[in-house]
Amino acid sequence: MAEPGPAVRRKSRPGCLRKRSRAPAQPSPVSSPVAPKRPSSGGEEPPAETPCSNDSEEDMFGDYDSFYGSDSLLAQVDDIEHKYLQDKNMDIKAAGEVILGNLQSGIHQKKNDNFSTSENMVVLKADIEDAFQMNESDMVDSNQEPTESIFDDLPSSQLLYFEKTDELSSGSRTSPVSERRSKGVTSSSDKIRSPSSFCPDAEHRSRPTDFSSDSKCDLFKTESLKDHLKSAMTGNAKAQTLQVSKTKQLKEAVLSEEICVARKAIESSYVDIGPFYGLPSKVKDLFRQFRGIETLYEWQHDCLMLESLQHRKNLIYSLPTSGGKTLVAEIIVLQELLCRQKDVLMILPYVAIVQEKVRGLSSFGIELGFLVEEYAGSKGRFPPIKRRKKKSLYIATIEKGHALVNSLIETERIDDLGLVVVDELHMLGEGSRGATLEITLAKILYTSKNTQIIGMSATLNNVGDLQKFLQAEYYTNNFRPVELKEYVKIRDTIYAVDSKTENGFTFSRLLNFKYSSNLEKADPDHIIALVTEVIPKYSCLIFCPTKKNCENVASMVCKYLKKEFRAHREKEKQDLIKNLKSIGNGSVCPVLKQTIPFGVAYHHSGLTNDERKSIEEAYSTGVLCLLACTATLAAGVNLPARRVILRAPYVANDFLKKNQYKQMIGRAGRAGIDSAGESILIAQEKDKHLVQVLVNSPLENCYSNLLLELTKGMQSLLLSLVGLKIAVTHEEVDNFMCSTLLGVQQQLLSKEKSLSEIIKDGLENLIEKGLLKGRISEKDHNSKRTLTITPLGKATYKGSIDLAYCNLLYRELKKGLEGLILESNLHLLYLATPYDMTSNCSPDWMIYLRQFNQLSAAEQKVADIVGVPESFITKKASGQAIRKNVDSAVVNRLYLSFVLYTLLKETNIWSVSEKFNMSRGYVQNLLNSAASFASCVLHFCEELEEFWVYKALLTELTKRLTYCVKTELIPLMEVAGVLEARAKQLYNAGYKTLAHLANANPETLVKMIEHLSRRQAKQIVSSAQMLLSEKAEALQEEVEELLKVPTDIPGTY
């Protein structure tokens, strides 16, 4: 039995190279190094010979070095040679035939040994057998003269050999039989060359010699047959190419093309390290272990094998919600981290999704040796630590992703970023966040030619524009793992959505549910009838237009459900209520207290982070079977259902958009659980026509928001372009703008002014604000006059401060230096309160006055400093007329500062929301926004030397706002997915440090911590291990940097 493939493989062969195949008649796409190796089976067509390059020091015959490295065949050749040379009466011609015959059988035997079945070897049986057949036919048909077609099949090097032989024989012609024998041997050896795309160089360069009768004796006297064989084969590969027939030229062109592709593959740093799409088998095992994924869908395999991906082209792919897009992205991410050894940035739309992804991928990072870093809210380092050993996966929100890319461009490290993955690519068309995403991608495209961009979405329409912008290929598929059936309900009739019919609907059925008169009044839309068809056995989501409507629907459904619903998983529902009670320090929402026993809850932004997480977990495990939720759930965490009901075709007061509709109904159908998913849109008769248009219309187009969002869009982009020195003249800025989505769509979006005029106006505005220095005039606006950024401008873009507020922030920070009140953190909190939250704040003046009166004298002085006198608050509370004009934005901002101040003192969102008569969700959002803005102000101050005093103060304040808990819980809350309630449980159970959690046993955690599933315990431990590893790596990097010997020590050479 032959040794397995790997034993035959030469050790010096680079790991990044893989065998490739091509069809005999025409070239086919060459497999990328990314593609997984597929074991060859007996039924498959054997690959054809693959050409080689000529610039290696390795043996000419690559992996299959039977002629060069194997003693058995060459010893056999030597024995035959000596045997027949000793017999002087033996005819040389006969000897040559015998030797050739034995050589054939030796090759045949060696073929069976060397080309044994193995996953890692490419078998060239067809080529070898063809060579034997050629030899046999040539020897039998000795009278046939060579023809043009025969010469076409020869390598050009062989033709050169015949030409040289004719010259050397001095007029004596070679017999056709001898010529054919020579051709048989050389073509046989030529056919058994290495199939590798990497062609080793040869050390022996002797010309091949003819077996003509005039030269046979000299041949055997001067060199052995073994040396001759090696020499002949080497000469064949090295001989100069002649201009021959068109067929030959075509073959040579194919060879050149494949060598070019092979060289490109060699230049790539990619290393194929395993059979699972170029990844180790361990990755496949981890997907099975952590995700329960046994096999990929067919479309996922097709997408991963796309030629555009193999050649690292940018790619946009679009599939329906729940189609499995994320798994493809994760495999591509792992290829980049493990095979190409480059860092990766993953941009996700919301903080909650970032945290969920960090938790989900930390376990992969621990097992496979890469770091997972969170960039959301106030978290993230700018620039990120430069790792010497491990590579990093940065998981970021849109805003933090932009700041991260800026820092990499500034430190000239953008090429370290091998891949950027963007989820929900359609968000390019959504307001200021879309503008920020466009700016980020445009900068990557312009500054790095080596960074690949992958964008995915379920709702894309004008893909052509996005392809031009991202210079990307496009892949789409309508696959859904579970069939989706769309329905519309009008009165008590349910219609199936059918685009083939004239009005888009076909009758499906009438509702079969007996309503009493009271129930008909309470539930005119028959929600209870629709719900009870699926719950509690299956899950259901009801999307409602407003937060209040969510709570009302949940309460109404429970009011009329039968008592049998309470018995379903009763103990677990009681545990959930206890958990919510502990989260609220003894308080629990009265609506949830009423609905949870029936397996029903609501889900919207009015919940705290802890409450939302507990409800999501209970729904995922089946404890809750019905959620009444707002549209934000559709774009957030993945919570699928058997049936999705749209309460009305509205989001707040706006009629539903097709993109929103698709995202909502996309939650219907759970892969592996449901055979089908259903969506039912409840509509009134008056909206019937609009609904018909909605369900049958195409998705909305995605348009650039750079012009609509001026300060967060165009002006922010222009400022950072100059600050990062990407473009410092008007001409360079014009060139850059052509590479944006706005540049692609400029004829649609900028009809009144040309893009160049818009840029000129924007630059002049930045100069007026004192953020840029330079001059742009009508005469020279196309000249190469250089613009420079001012210190204030640099602080603004590095702090990601909205240009609408940068000058105001500077003035307030400057004013603070004159008399910063440090008796408490109220003054600092005011400076860190987000400007954009003041517009939708309506103070309760009695509460305002009460809170003001509870402040100390020094704290009350803060109000005076910022411009809100006590008399103003008193008069407002008593309803008196106000003569003095006071800025309402400042008044509202101070009120929000009071909320934050109280929150940091009490660390209880429930009690603070009651004190200020605000929803706890609003207070939670204020806290999250303040933590993020405090981080921005800190980076702003770091760029301005005059604000050095703020650096230490804001660093500590940012940390407190981020966690808003007692100091001892902060180390635990740094772990992704551990919120306050869970941190308290862990701390009380004795897990008081990060090291405690990183070394915990998940099984022990499950036993000691209430309401903690095994999956959650494993995620917490792996997230803690990842964070600990990240911190240890950072310290190690610092140590190595300190110990590094400088290269510029004076006196050294």
Side-chain angles (χ1 to χ4, degrees):
M1 188 69 183
E3 289 293 316
V8 181
R9 182 173 291 159
R10 296 181 66 88
K11 290 181 182 178
S12 60
R13 186 167 181 255
C16 63
L17 305 177
R18 286 292 174 264
K19 299 178 181 62
R20 298 177 291 115
S21 64
R22 64 180 173 89
Q26 62 182 19
S28 62
V30 181
S31 298
S32 159
V34 182
K37 295 172 289 183
R38 297 184 177 278
S40 59
S41 62
E44 291 180 357
E45 185 178 340
E49 170 192 337
T50 308
C52 308
S53 67
N54 297 324
D55 55 356
S56 169
E57 296 300 323
E58 211 177 334
D59 179 47
M60 181 64 73
F61 308 111
D63 288 351
Y64 309 105
D65 44 8
S66 306
F67 292 106
Y68 193 71
S70 172
D71 292 335
S72 60
L73 178 60
L74 294 177
Q76 189 180 3
V77 172
D78 281 342
D79 288 344
I80 296 167
E81 179 186 3
H82 289 309
K83 177 181 174 183
Y84 288 99
L85 282 177
Q86 285 168 4
D87 189 354
K88 300 206 177 169
N89 297 322
M90 173 71 71
D91 181 17
I92 295 297
K93 179 178 178 182
E97 290 174 354
V98 173
I99 291 166
L100 189 57
N102 279 280
L103 176 60
Q104 283 179 222
S105 64
I107 292 171
H108 191 72
Q109 177 62 37
K110 202 66 184 172
K111 177 197 73 172
N112 292 334
D113 290 341
N114 283 350
F115 300 128
S116 59
T117 55
S118 166
E119 280 186 7
N120 301 319
M121 302 291 288
V122 175
V123 185
L124 301 181
K125 294 180 183 175
D127 287 339
I128 297 167
E129 288 166 5
D130 287 348
F132 297 153
Q133 289 167 6
M134 184 188 295
N135 289 339
E136 290 167 5
S137 64
D138 284 348
M139 289 177 206
V140 171
D141 186 18
S142 59
N143 296 320
Q144 183 181 345
E145 288 295 321
T147 63
E148 174 65 16
S149 62
I150 293 174
F151 280 95
D152 280 352
D153 289 335
L154 289 173
S156 56
S157 56
Q158 193 69 23
L159 294 172
L160 181 64
Y161 157 69
F162 285 132
E163 184 179 294
K164 292 293 182 187
T165 306
D166 285 343
E167 292 174 7
L168 291 172
S169 41
S170 303
S172 139
R173 290 190 64 82
T174 307
S175 71
V177 175
S178 303
E179 189 171 309
R180 288 186 191 284
R181 281 180 189 153
S182 170
K183 176 180 171 183
V185 173
T186 52
S187 62
S188 173
S189 63
D190 186 55
K191 293 258 182 182
I192 311 175
R193 288 184 298 200
S194 164
S196 167
S197 60
F198 181 80
C199 185
D201 201 359
E203 296 176 5
H204 306 287
R205 297 177 181 270
S206 303
R207 291 284 181 191
T209 312
D210 185 19
F211 283 112
S212 68
S213 58
D214 293 334
S215 57
K216 276 188 255 179
C217 295
D218 291 338
L219 169 69
F220 284 108
K221 286 177 187 174
T222 54
E223 62 177 351
S224 71
L225 181 58
K226 179 172 74 173
D227 288 340
H228 170 74
L229 286 172
K230 291 191 292 184
S231 169
M233 287 185 289
T234 304
N236 286 343
K238 289 296 183 180
Q240 181 180 352
T241 304
L242 291 178
Q243 295 295 324
V244 287
S245 70
K246 290 181 179 178
T247 308
K248 187 65 219 165
Q249 288 176 350
L250 180 61
K251 289 183 179 180
E252 292 292 340
V254 171
L255 182 143
S256 299
E257 182 184 344
E258 294 198 3
I259 288 175
C260 180
V261 172
R263 282 177 178 159
K264 284 181 181 177
I266 293 166
E267 288 166 7
S268 166
S269 58
Y270 178 84
V271 180
D272 188 347
I273 58 176
F276 184 65
Y277 301 96
L279 293 163
S281 299
K282 184 178 181 180
V283 175
K284 188 176 182 180
D285 296 337
L286 291 175
F287 276 115
R288 185 186 296 115
Q289 180 186 338
F290 297 142
R291 306 280 179 79
I293 296 171
E294 293 286 342
T295 56
L296 271 64
Y297 297 129
E298 186 180 347
W299 84 263
Q300 291 172 326
H301 170 76
D302 292 344
C303 187
L304 286 166
M305 299 300 293
L306 286 173
E307 190 177 347
S308 54
L309 278 184
Q310 315 294 356
H311 296 298
R312 298 199 76 244
K313 293 180 181 176
N314 296 342
L315 177 71
I316 299 168
Y317 64 101
S318 177
L319 279 97
T321 303
S322 305
K325 296 184 293 297
T326 305
L327 178 61
V328 170
E330 288 176 349
I331 291 173
I332 297 169
V333 164
L334 292 176
Q335 287 172 345
E336 196 70 29
L337 289 164
L338 303 180
C339 302
R340 294 194 181 90
Q341 291 289 302
K342 290 279 193 178
D343 296 329
V344 175
L345 168 61
M346 185 179 275
I347 299 177
L348 305 174
Y350 304 110
V351 174
I353 303 177
V354 168
Q355 292 170 342
E356 183 183 40
K357 189 60 68 180
V358 169
R359 290 197 301 274
L361 290 177
S362 288
S363 47
F364 284 86
I366 295 297
E367 294 290 336
L368 300 171
F370 61 87
L371 298 172
V372 179
E373 301 184 38
E374 180 183 341
Y375 280 75
S378 61
K379 293 184 179 179
R381 298 171 185 255
F382 303 101
I385 296 171
K386 189 173 176 66
R387 315 284 183 183
R388 295 170 191 268
K389 297 173 186 174
K390 292 186 177 180
K391 295 301 165 188
S392 291
L393 168 58
Y394 310 115
I395 303 181
T397 56
I398 292 170
E399 293 75 17
K400 288 293 179 179
H402 180 221
L404 178 65
V405 167
N406 280 348
S407 69
L408 290 173
I409 293 171
E410 186 177 29
T411 53
E412 298 181 349
R413 286 168 51 194
I414 190 65
D415 283 330
D416 291 347
L417 202 60
L419 173 69
V420 176
V421 175
V422 182
D423 194 8
E424 309 295 355
L425 186 65
H426 61 269
M427 289 198 73
L428 277 167
E430 295 185 13
S432 62
R433 306 194 77 215
T436 303
L437 181 57
E438 180 181 345
I439 291 168
T440 305
L441 295 175
K443 285 176 181 174
I444 293 167
L445 287 164
Y446 196 82
T447 58
S448 174
K449 301 304 175 190
N450 300 318
T451 304
Q452 185 183 16
I453 296 175
I454 305 289
M456 53 181 168
S457 174
T459 53
L460 288 177
N461 192 28
N462 56 332
V463 179
D465 288 351
L466 301 182
Q467 279 185 269
K468 284 181 189 174
F469 166 44
L470 295 177
Q471 302 157 36
E473 302 288 321
Y474 179 59
Y475 175 86
T476 187
N477 195 304
N478 290 324
F479 172 82
R480 271 185 62 94
V482 177
E483 182 190 0
L484 173 61
K485 298 175 180 176
E486 292 180 51
Y487 299 99
V488 173
K489 188 191 85 67
I490 301 174
R491 295 199 179 101
D492 61 349
T493 307
I494 295 179
Y495 301 92
V497 174
D498 186 355
S499 57
K500 295 174 185 176
T501 60
E502 188 177 341
N503 61 3
F505 298 158
T506 56
F507 174 82
S508 176
R509 64 187 174 96
L510 289 172
L511 271 179
N512 184 21
F513 190 88
K514 292 181 180 178
Y515 267 71
S516 65
S517 57
N518 288 338
L519 184 54
E520 187 73 45
K521 289 176 184 176
D523 181 23
D525 293 323
H526 310 103
I527 291 172
I528 292 171
L530 296 173
V531 162
T532 51
E533 287 178 347
V534 288
I535 66 167
K537 187 178 179 181
Y538 301 107
S539 57
C540 182
L541 293 175
I542 304 177
F543 284 103
C544 304
T546 64
K547 287 184 282 189
K548 189 64 181 171
N549 194 226
C550 290
E551 298 176 28
N552 291 341
V553 166
S555 296
M556 183 271 294
V557 168
C558 292
K559 201 171 180 181
Y560 293 97
L561 283 180
K562 294 177 181 177
K563 291 184 179 179
E564 287 83 359
F565 282 89
R566 298 179 70 103
H568 182 75
R569 302 180 74 164
E570 188 173 7
K571 183 182 181 303
E572 290 160 288
K573 289 188 282 197
Q574 290 303 319
D575 287 343
L576 175 58
I577 292 174
K578 285 179 190 174
N579 187 30
L580 291 172
K581 201 168 185 178
S582 67
I583 287 170
N585 285 344
S587 302
V588 64
C589 171
V591 175
L592 291 176
K593 193 173 182 179
Q594 174 205 349
T595 62
I596 286 175
F598 290 91
V600 178
Y602 66 84
H603 182 290
H604 57 59
S605 60
L607 296 168
T608 65
N609 291 342
D610 282 297
E611 287 174 322
R612 201 176 303 138
K613 194 165 188 293
S614 294
I615 288 171
E616 287 167 1
E617 287 170 359
Y619 178 82
S620 297
T621 54
V623 175
L624 297 175
C625 55
L626 173 66
L627 287 185
C629 52
T630 52
T632 51
L633 181 77
V637 290
N638 188 22
L639 294 176
R642 172 64 172 269
R643 176 175 288 180
V644 168
I645 299 169
L646 281 68
R647 171 73 179 75
Y650 291 90
V651 172
N653 296 319
D654 300 321
F655 196 80
L656 205 60
K657 292 179 182 176
K658 185 60 178 271
N659 288 353
Q660 294 169 324
Y661 172 72
K662 279 289 185 186
Q663 281 193 320
M664 289 179 191
I665 67 171
R667 295 297 180 200
R670 299 165 298 172
I673 300 173
D674 299 324
S675 57
E678 300 173 333
S679 72
I680 301 174
L681 169 58
I682 299 173
Q684 304 302 317
E685 192 67 47
K686 64 183 178 67
D687 292 326
K688 184 175 180 180
H689 178 68
L690 290 174
V691 168
Q692 285 174 336
V693 172
L694 171 71
V695 297
N696 293 293
S697 65
L699 294 161
E700 287 85 12
N701 286 338
C702 180
Y703 294 116
S704 170
N705 276 270
L706 286 181
L707 294 182
L708 297 175
E709 299 291 335
L710 198 59
T711 57
K712 288 186 179 179
M714 176 64 83
Q715 290 186 10
S716 175
L717 172 57
L718 296 175
L719 180 65
S720 61
L721 287 180
V722 176
L724 294 168
K725 298 179 181 174
I726 296 172
V728 293
T729 68
H730 192 148
E731 186 179 357
E732 289 174 353
V733 173
D734 279 350
N735 290 337
F736 178 92
M737 292 304 296
C738 290
S739 66
T740 62
L741 181 59
L742 174 61
V744 172
Q745 298 175 332
Q746 58 181 297
Q747 292 181 339
L748 289 172
L749 302 179
S750 53
K751 293 178 180 177
E752 295 178 4
K753 287 184 178 180
S754 69
L755 189 55
S756 185
E757 288 174 319
I758 293 168
I759 292 167
K760 175 179 170 291
D761 291 346
L763 291 172
E764 286 178 344
N765 189 277
L766 292 172
I767 292 168
E768 285 174 22
K769 286 184 176 179
L771 303 176
L772 290 181
K773 284 191 290 188
R775 189 161 59 86
I776 301 290
S777 66
E778 287 292 335
K779 293 180 182 178
D780 64 0
H781 75 271
N782 285 320
S783 73
K784 295 184 179 180
R785 182 171 295 191
T786 303
L787 295 163
T788 56
I789 195 163
T790 64
L792 177 59
K794 189 176 182 183
T796 300
Y797 90 78
K798 291 195 75 172
S800 302
I801 304 294
D802 188 338
L803 270 63
Y805 307 118
C806 62
N807 283 297
L808 176 59
L809 177 63
Y810 177 82
R811 288 195 302 271
E812 290 190 327
L813 288 168
K814 188 82 172 171
K815 191 176 181 182
L817 290 179
E818 297 170 9
L820 192 64
I821 307 295
L822 294 176
E823 182 181 290
S824 72
N825 54 22
L826 178 62
H827 200 167
L828 273 177
L829 278 170
Y830 174 80
L831 296 172
T833 301
Y835 289 105
D836 55 5
M837 290 200 72
T838 58
S839 58
N840 55 6
C841 169
S842 300
D844 182 315
W845 295 106
M846 291 304 296
I847 295 173
Y848 207 147
L849 182 60
R850 192 184 310 129
Q851 290 300 317
F852 181 85
N853 289 333
Q854 289 174 7
L855 300 175
S856 67
E859 288 170 336
Q860 287 181 352
K861 194 177 176 185
V862 173
D864 272 332
I865 291 171
V866 301
V868 184
E870 181 182 0
S871 58
F872 174 81
I873 301 171
T874 306
K875 286 179 179 178
K876 272 287 187 183
S878 61
Q880 296 179 35
I882 308 292
R883 293 180 183 176
K884 190 177 180 183
N885 218 2
V886 178
D887 188 345
S888 61
V890 175
V891 173
N892 293 357
R893 196 164 177 232
L894 183 63
Y895 186 68
L896 294 177
S897 304
F898 286 175
V899 177
L900 292 169
Y901 179 59
T902 311
L903 195 53
L904 288 187
K905 280 200 299 185
E906 299 184 13
T907 68
N908 186 329
I909 290 176
W910 266 90
S911 63
V912 173
S913 64
E914 287 172 4
K915 262 183 191 174
F916 286 86
N917 197 23
M918 293 176 167
S919 76
R920 57 196 185 284
Y922 181 85
V923 175
Q924 176 79 72
N925 187 34
L926 172 63
L927 180 63
N928 294 341
S929 299
S932 184
F933 187 66
S935 172
C936 293
V937 176
L938 171 60
H939 293 305
F940 180 89
C941 291
E942 284 173 344
E943 297 303 317
L944 296 167
E945 199 174 326
E946 61 196 293
F947 294 150
W948 63 270
V949 71
Y950 287 114
K951 292 178 192 176
L953 295 169
L954 286 169
T955 301
E956 186 59 31
L957 183 68
T958 301
K959 197 171 183 179
R960 290 193 63 190
L961 286 168
T962 300
Y963 301 110
C964 191
V965 292
K966 292 176 181 176
T967 310
E968 63 265 23
L969 296 180
I970 288 178
L972 300 177
M973 288 190 65
E974 286 180 335
V975 178
V978 176
L979 299 175
E980 184 181 1
R982 186 74 76 207
K984 285 178 180 176
Q985 285 180 310
L986 291 166
Y987 189 85
N988 293 335
Y991 297 95
K992 299 185 178 183
T993 66
L994 181 60
H996 281 151
L997 273 186
N999 292 286
N1001 183 335
E1003 297 299 328
T1004 309
L1005 278 178
V1006 172
K1007 291 174 185 174
M1008 296 183 69
I1009 308 297
E1010 286 186 342
H1011 321 301
L1012 183 68
S1013 68
R1014 188 169 282 100
R1015 183 183 64 85
Q1016 291 164 346
K1018 287 179 179 177
Q1019 282 191 341
I1020 286 173
V1021 172
S1022 61
S1023 295
Q1025 289 172 343
M1026 175 56 67
L1027 186 58
L1028 195 64
S1029 171
E1030 187 187 322
K1031 290 189 173 188
E1033 288 277 336
L1035 291 171
Q1036 186 63 38
E1037 300 284 350
E1038 198 173 331
V1039 169
E1040 289 182 13
E1041 192 63 36
L1042 285 170
L1043 297 177
K1044 189 177 175 183
V1045 179
T1047 56
D1048 57 348
I1049 301 173
T1052 59
Y1053 300 97

